[in-house]
Every structure is written in structure tokens, then in C-alpha cells.
Amino acid sequence: MRIIRFLDSLDLVRHGVLQEDGTTVMLEGEIYGEHRAGTERAHVKKLLAPVAPVSIPCIGLNYRHHAAESGSPIPQHPVLFHKAVSALQNPGDPVKIPTKLASQQVDYECELAVVIGKRCKNVSKEDALSYVLGYTCANDVSARDWQREWGGSQWCRGKTFDTFCPLGPCLVTTDEIPNPNALQIKTLIGDEVLQDWNTSDMIFDVPTLIAFLSGSTTLLPGTVILTGTPQGVGMARKPPRWLKPGDSVTIEIEKIGRLTNPVILEP
């Protein structure tokens, strides 16, 4: 099932199910409970991020080749940071380069996002995927100067500015993606491919991450886990390739689709 979240003609937030013919029908039931594709045709006024996260835990340095390009050793445990839920951005809406706390080094990061569908705590790797509702594309936008130099040795300041977490275009349920660690993942700016790799390169696979994050910690339905990015980020290029106004960034993941956002300066 491919689920979208959208505004209808009355500006009410609704969920729908994409059909093979390109139409959308309403989702019946609860997104984090029993649900099914209905028969009523959906009228999509504006596409939103497919979920409104309750929490956004993120994993850094989780691809072997990205750790190498960053000059970092392979982590012995997952490297955890968080984005604020206010960093959420919709498909098609702009990523805004900060001007109040100005950054000259805003970077892109294509990531597979895992959406938790059931409350879980202390789950095993073997059971972890049974708690997943589905998957979507994410762009872990990062202000590298704030992340590396001005953030007080923590990553969160550079990772959690407004609009720094685009998600979309849809949520693909687990029946359509039985193995989340076998997906092609890309970043494009315009038509230029800057990242092109596979989620099989994760140091800690998705079940391992869920088991780790749920250890002595409750993950609520609507938790969105960002699972790391492959090599090819802007800061590792020579010269670095920072996002600039006028760019259009696309995150593409096999079996999910394409998430595209323009880039502008924060007004």
C-alpha cells in the first residue's frame, strides 16, 4: 500500500491510498491501527509529508563508504542525534537556507526513513520489522558549519533548522518492501546525480537500529527514524558542493519514489 497525507478541498488533513491508475482513494480506519483502502475518491489539494512525526531520531555515519569519505572510523555503536519535529517539510515545499543563524554550508543527505507503527520497547532484531508501518524518502539537510564548528560539539543545531527534514512523497507499507536493506538510494540536484548507492551498505541494518533505539526506550507510533546517508555528500566533494538558492534537490529510493524540494534563502 502506498499512503499519502494531504489537504483536501476544505484544508482538512486526510490520508489516501495511491492507486495503480494514478488516482487516490480515501484511507479508511486509523493510520496507526486497522486501515484499508476505501472506495471514496480523494480530492488532493496539497500533498503533505506522509506522516507528522512525534519524534525524529537520526543515525549518523551509518554507511561504510560515507564514514570513509568523512575520515571517521567505523562506529562500534549507532551514532544517535535528533531532529526537532518542527524541521519537517512537505514534498515540493522549499528547503530554506538559514539567514538569522546564517549558514554558508548547507548540505543534502538522501536517507531511508523508517516509520514506527506500533508502540515498542526492548524489541529484538528478529521482531523489529513487525513494528514498522512503512518507509519513505528523507533528506537530512545539514548546516555543516553549525554541525562541525558552532554547535557546541553536538550535531543537533546544524541538523534541525526549519525545513531541514523533507519527507515523502508517500509511505510505502512493509508488505511492498520486505527487505529495507536492499534498495537503491540517490540524490540529484537538477539532473546531476550526486549520491547513488544501496541501503545494503548500512553498518547497522534497520532491524538492528530499531532494537538499539527501543532499548530501555519507548518508541511511539509516528516515530520516524532516519537511517543515515551514503557517500557523495556535498562537504566531501572537491570543491564542496553546498546547496544554493535556485537548486532543486531530489531524493530517490527504489520502490518508494522521488522527493523533490526547491532551495531558497530564509525570508
Side-chain angles (χ1 to χ4, degrees):
M1 188 180 295
R2 305 174 70 83
I3 299 172
I4 64 169
R5 181 169 158 267
F6 65 94
L7 292 179
D8 67 10
S9 58
L10 299 176
D11 288 332
L12 297 175
V13 177
R14 311 291 293 273
H15 288 94
V17 180
L18 297 175
Q19 304 296 288
E20 291 186 2
D21 63 2
T23 61
T24 303
V25 297
M26 298 300 298
L27 182 79
E28 295 181 351
E30 297 294 330
I31 187 69
Y32 298 117
E34 295 293 328
H35 57 262
R36 67 200 67 81
T39 58
E40 179 187 355
R41 180 78 174 267
H43 297 282
V44 180
K45 178 179 178 181
K46 177 179 174 57
L47 187 64
L48 303 175
V51 294
V54 299
S55 177
I56 309 175
C58 308
I59 306 299
L61 297 173
N62 196 33
Y63 282 71
R64 296 181 185 278
H65 286 71
H66 175 53
E69 75 174 355
S70 302
S72 302
I74 298 297
Q76 298 302 303
H77 304 281
V79 177
L80 175 64
F81 63 96
H82 283 78
K83 284 180 178 280
V85 296
S86 57
L88 182 69
Q89 187 55 300
N90 303 310
D93 285 348
V95 169
K96 299 177 183 179
I97 296 174
T99 56
K100 176 65 174 180
L101 293 183
S103 173
Q104 305 299 318
Q105 298 180 0
V106 176
D107 207 347
Y108 53 84
E109 293 190 17
C110 60
E111 305 210 8
L112 175 69
V114 179
V115 180
I116 297 298
K118 297 186 294 184
R119 185 185 184 98
C120 63
K121 180 178 181 179
N122 294 331
V123 303
S124 67
K125 287 175 56 177
E126 292 72 24
D127 293 336
L129 293 185
S130 69
Y131 292 88
V132 176
L133 174 62
Y135 306 95
T136 192
C137 302
N139 188 352
D140 177 17
V141 183
S142 306
R144 301 296 191 190
D145 35 19
W146 283 100
Q147 179 185 354
R148 297 186 296 176
E149 300 174 44
W150 309 326
S153 79
Q154 300 292 322
W155 290 3
C156 296
R157 175 66 286 178
K159 294 277 193 173
T160 201
F161 289 112
D162 285 354
T163 76
F164 271 30
C165 188
L167 295 178
C170 62
L171 175 72
V172 180
T173 52
T174 55
D175 57 304
E176 297 197 19
I177 302 179
N179 181 6
N181 286 104
L183 303 172
Q184 287 295 120
I185 182 169
K186 297 181 181 180
T187 297
L188 302 89
I189 296 183
D191 295 326
E192 182 183 5
V193 178
L194 297 174
Q195 293 179 283
D196 186 0
W197 207 234
N198 194 286
T199 58
S200 62
D201 190 42
M202 285 186 193
I203 298 166
F204 305 101
D205 64 12
V206 171
T208 300
L209 292 178
I210 294 170
F212 171 78
L213 292 170
S214 70
S216 302
T217 305
T218 300
L219 302 182
L220 298 173
T223 298
V224 176
I225 303 168
L226 271 55
T227 56
T229 196
Q231 76 275 16
V233 297
M235 74 172 179
R237 293 182 170 271
K238 301 186 186 305
R241 176 45 166 109
W242 308 121
L243 295 179
K244 60 183 185 298
D247 283 340
S248 179
V249 185
T250 296
I251 309 302
E252 180 179 330
I253 302 180
E254 181 184 1
K255 298 184 179 181
I256 298 175
R258 293 164 63 97
L259 165 68
T260 299
N261 298 90
V263 179
I264 67 173
L265 285 176
E266 177 190 21

